[in-house]
Amino acid sequence: MDRLYEDPDLARFYDIDNGWHAGPAACLERAKGHASFLDLGCGTGALAAAVAKEGIPHVVGVDPAKAMLDIARARPGGDDVRWVEGDARAVRLGSRFDLIVLTGHVFQVFLTDGDRLAVLRTIASHLTPQGHFIFDSRNPLTREWQEWTPDLSRRVFTDPHLGEVLSWNDVTYDEEAAVAHYETFYELSGTKRVFAARSSIAFPPQEQLADLIGKAGLEVLEWFGDWAGTAHGHESPEIIPFGRLSGAAGG
């Protein structure tokens, strides 16, 4: 597990740096009217808690990082969610869900086809017969990692307890493995204190994802290129499959 998510000092910056964005917002809308919802790689739990506030009775958030789940449990609405410390490749919850999501490019932390297939099989094993899944992965054709240099990635945000925080990334890219290895830095303004963590994420192409999805017993109903629902294209920033169990009835 990468230290960016398991270290409490770093986990505290996650929501401030990333914020509520289009992915969770779109999944919240999709969740409305369902009876059950599973967030694999739920992080600090903002989405799962928001879904529970909609009155959906069975909401589960799974994440391998205790530091992230500690934040999730303490947030408003956290008491209405079942939080599970577990690995999306292997977790088995003994129940099925109408909607299963992975947002925030969680799927990209799985670096090999074997790991990705294991996650997809977890999804398949937890879907109801009429259930759906959706997740996002950055389109490798846009080469977004090229923007993760110190100069291009510098940003400033405010922590409610620590004040102004300067953040930036640095990156190397393994073309053969299609994996970006990047570091994230947080420097507290007016001090020399810097938090840092190293992470790795993969950039599998759409064709590779489609093959793995089929092998897991799933099928894609639509490919989106962003969370606004635009059809996926060559220059789309995202690869977002929306699908179900193979051969499932209904749409």
Side-chain angles (χ1 to χ4, degrees):
M1 189 196 308
D2 107 43
R3 183 171 170 258
L4 182 57
Y5 304 114
E6 67 179 355
D7 187 317
D9 285 332
L10 296 172
R12 66 176 295 142
F13 295 131
Y14 181 85
D15 285 340
I16 302 171
D17 197 11
N18 291 276
W20 181 264
H21 53 86
C27 290
L28 177 60
E29 285 302 309
R30 285 189 179 275
K32 292 178 180 179
H34 289 305
S36 52
F37 178 87
L38 172 59
D39 188 351
L40 283 176
C42 65
T44 60
L47 173 57
V51 169
K53 287 180 182 179
E54 293 293 326
I56 294 169
H58 186 201
V59 179
V60 177
V62 175
D63 202 274
K66 180 181 181 300
M68 302 290 265
L69 291 177
D70 286 344
I71 295 172
R73 292 187 180 98
R75 72 168 53 252
D79 290 343
D80 297 321
V81 180
R82 177 189 173 195
W83 305 108
V84 177
E85 187 176 337
D87 188 321
R89 293 168 293 187
V91 69
R92 294 295 183 269
L93 301 169
S95 55
R96 293 181 179 267
F97 299 83
D98 295 328
L99 182 62
I100 300 176
V101 307
L102 296 87
T103 64
H105 307 110
V106 167
F107 194 79
Q108 289 182 255
V109 307
F110 302 103
L111 304 183
T112 69
D113 275 353
D115 285 342
R116 290 186 279 267
L117 182 57
V119 174
L120 292 166
R121 285 176 170 157
T122 293
I123 292 173
S125 72
H126 288 89
L127 277 176
T128 62
Q130 279 72 47
H132 295 94
F133 70 88
I134 190 166
F135 65 85
D136 55 1
S137 187
R138 296 176 181 87
N139 184 358
L141 298 177
T142 67
R143 302 182 72 83
E144 184 180 330
W145 62 84
Q146 293 180 341
E147 301 174 7
W148 301 349
T149 61
D151 288 341
L152 294 177
S153 64
R154 289 171 71 88
R155 59 224 182 250
V156 177
F157 59 86
T158 302
D159 181 279
H161 304 290
L162 300 175
E164 188 174 275
V165 179
L166 172 65
S167 182
W168 68 95
N169 300 106
D170 204 358
V171 66
T172 60
Y173 187 72
D174 183 334
E175 292 282 356
E176 183 176 353
V179 172
H181 305 284
Y182 68 98
E183 291 180 283
T184 303
F185 300 90
Y186 297 105
E187 180 180 325
L188 305 187
S189 179
T191 76
K192 294 182 179 180
R193 191 177 183 189
V194 177
F195 299 90
R198 185 170 176 82
S199 309
S200 296
I201 58 172
F203 285 78
Q206 182 185 12
E207 297 78 10
Q208 191 172 349
L209 290 176
D211 179 63
L212 292 170
I213 288 169
K215 288 179 178 177
L218 301 166
E219 63 179 344
V220 176
L221 298 173
E222 295 182 83
W223 292 94
F224 299 119
D226 56 39
W227 282 107
T230 306
H232 177 76
H234 181 82
E235 297 183 356
S236 297
E238 306 279 357
I239 304 171
I240 303 176
F242 171 70
R244 63 185 183 184
L245 291 169
S246 294

